[in-house]
């Protein structure tokens, strides 16, 4: 669905607090019981019938070189998604900045900072959970590719720094080295909502199956990857990786990409997508600026895990994927 955002009104000038965690997981009505595996089976959170489904929105934003315009447009799209019933909204990777190593130092901000303050305000205004895509973050002289998440009261619920940097060389097609300017993060990040627990990754992180497995072990039912695959990696692996992570871990997977700009120095693939735990594509954008909506059905997730109980059937006596730091 394409959006036609209007000029947003003045956001409320309010401060916002920081929470290191969203608090304890919501208690589940239905859950997959752990079997013989040493790792407990992930919970399926169904807090009452009204919480079994919720609407997710992905904003496929056209990114310009003007940071303030990017932030303003993002906020107007967020408002539009909220009016359409979205409870969790995600922006794309590098939503306030062109994507590229030469841009990261110029556009970098601290968190809290100007861009994230606006996200806090609009999350509170719309009473939604807002996954702020990512921005270049500056902290203690280092730069990171960072996703900030805000709750319906504007509180910062989570901050995730991309842990796998995009350093690749495909001869004759694309060479890119995020590590020229960025430092990697070193921690996982999840947050709780009344609907489900959400795990965060950014773009290249999706290629690393272990990250998704850790999130599934920690009880996530939805994994969100703001990302900007390109015209080489996009047609080859964008949808394939999403469907793989969804099927492997019996979770919903959502990716929010920038819209494609053929004149940009880095051309994003687009095609923001939502995949269900059976590996089916529920919603997918084209290449243009758009909002993608999908109704996430946690009852469907619970049914799939019951019908095919792979978590109980894992051979922990033979193999394991483990988290080495919180």
């Amino acid at each position: 669905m394409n959006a036609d955002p209007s000029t947003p009104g003045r956001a409320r000038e309010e401060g916002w607090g920081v929470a290191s965690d969203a608090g304890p997981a919501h208690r589940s009505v239905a859950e997959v019981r752990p079997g013989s595996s040493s790792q407990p089976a992930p919970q399926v959170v169904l807090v009452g019938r009204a919480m079994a489904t919720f609407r997710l929105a992905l904003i496929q934003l056209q990114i310009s070189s003007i940071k303030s315009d990017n932030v303003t447009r993002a906020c107007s799209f967020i408002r539009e998604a909220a009016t359409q019933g979205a409870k969790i909204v995600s922006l794309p990777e590098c939503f306030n900045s062109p994507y590229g190593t030469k841009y990261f130092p110029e556009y970098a901000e601290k968190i809290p900072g100007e861009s994230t303050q606006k996200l806090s305000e609009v999350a509170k205004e719309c009473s939604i959970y807002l996954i702020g895509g990512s921005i270049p973050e500056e902290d203690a002289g280092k730069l990171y590719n960072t996703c900030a998440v805000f709750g319906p009261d504007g509180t910062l619920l989570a901050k995730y720094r991309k842990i796998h940097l995009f350093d690749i060389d495909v001869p004759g097609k694309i060479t890119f080295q995020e590590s020229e300017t960025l430092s990697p993060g070193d921690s996982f990040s999840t947050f709780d909502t009344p609907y489900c627990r959400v795990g965060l990754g950014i773009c290249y992180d999706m290629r690393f199956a272990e990250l998704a497995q850790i999130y599934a072990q920690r009880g996530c039912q939805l994994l969100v990857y703001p990302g900007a695959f390109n015209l080489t990696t996009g047609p080859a692996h964008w949808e394939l990786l999403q469907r793989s992570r969804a099927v492997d871990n019996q979770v919903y997977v959502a990716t929010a990409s920038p819209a494609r700009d053929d004149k940009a120095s880095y051309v994003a693939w687009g095609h923001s997508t939502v995949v269900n735990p059976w590996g089916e594509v529920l919603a997918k954008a084209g290449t243009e600026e758009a909002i993608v909506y999908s109704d996430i059905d946690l009852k469907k997730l619970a049914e799939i895990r019951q019908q095919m109980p792979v978590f109980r059937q894992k051979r922990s006596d033979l193999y394991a994927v483990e988290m080495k730091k919180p």
Side-chain angles (χ1 to χ4, degrees), residues 36-267:
S36 59
S37 171
S38 62
Q39 291 289 346
Q43 288 188 338
V44 179
V45 178
L46 296 176
V47 189
R49 297 180 62 86
M51 299 296 184
T53 62
F54 66 92
R55 176 157 288 189
L56 172 70
L58 309 175
I59 296 173
Q60 186 162 289
L61 189 69
Q62 190 77 58
I63 310 299
S64 76
S65 60
I66 304 173
K67 182 193 287 189
S68 60
D69 287 354
N70 293 330
V71 174
T72 297
R73 289 182 60 77
C75 289
S76 64
F77 274 104
I78 292 164
R79 294 185 179 96
E80 170 66 19
T83 65
Q84 297 301 314
K87 302 300 183 185
I88 299 179
V89 178
S90 180
L91 293 170
E93 182 180 23
C94 253
F95 87 90
N96 72 344
S97 161
Y99 182 79
T101 54
K102 68 179 181 180
Y103 298 109
F104 297 147
E106 177 185 355
Y107 286 77
E109 300 180 14
K110 292 188 178 296
I111 297 177
E114 178 184 358
S115 295
T116 50
Q117 176 66 33
K118 294 298 184 185
L119 297 187
S120 168
E121 291 167 0
V122 76
K124 183 174 183 179
E125 175 189 332
C126 297
S127 191
I128 58 167
Y129 289 87
L130 176 58
I131 300 168
S134 77
I135 66 169
E137 179 200 11
E138 188 278 322
D139 184 38
K142 292 184 178 181
L143 301 180
Y144 303 91
N145 191 344
T146 303
C147 175
V149 179
F150 299 92
D153 61 355
T155 298
L156 179 65
L157 298 181
K159 188 172 79 168
Y160 173 78
R161 292 170 171 169
K162 188 175 187 178
I163 63 176
H164 302 101
L165 296 184
F166 184 54
D167 287 4
I168 69 162
D169 182 12
V170 182
K173 294 187 177 181
I174 183 171
T175 298
F176 200 95
Q177 300 286 320
E178 273 191 328
S179 62
E180 288 179 358
T181 54
L182 298 180
S183 296
D186 62 2
S187 61
F188 306 94
S189 187
T190 67
F191 66 96
D192 288 311
T193 75
Y195 320 106
C196 67
R197 177 171 292 176
V198 182
L200 300 172
I202 298 174
C203 200
Y204 197 53
D205 287 328
M206 188 164 55
R207 291 186 179 272
F208 298 85
E210 297 85 353
L211 177 61
Q213 290 173 45
I214 292 294
Y215 282 147
Q217 290 173 10
R218 296 180 69 174
C220 294
Q221 298 93 45
L222 170 64
L223 305 184
V224 179
Y225 298 90
F229 276 38
N230 53 69
L231 300 190
T232 297
T233 61
H237 300 143
W238 178 248
E239 184 178 309
L240 173 65
L241 287 167
Q242 295 172 65
R243 296 180 70 189
S244 298
R245 299 294 82 83
V247 171
D248 285 351
N249 300 287
Q250 296 179 326
V251 294
Y252 285 89
V253 172
T255 54
S257 170
R260 189 180 302 179
D261 179 0
D262 292 321
K263 297 178 181 178
S265 57
Y266 180 95
V267 181

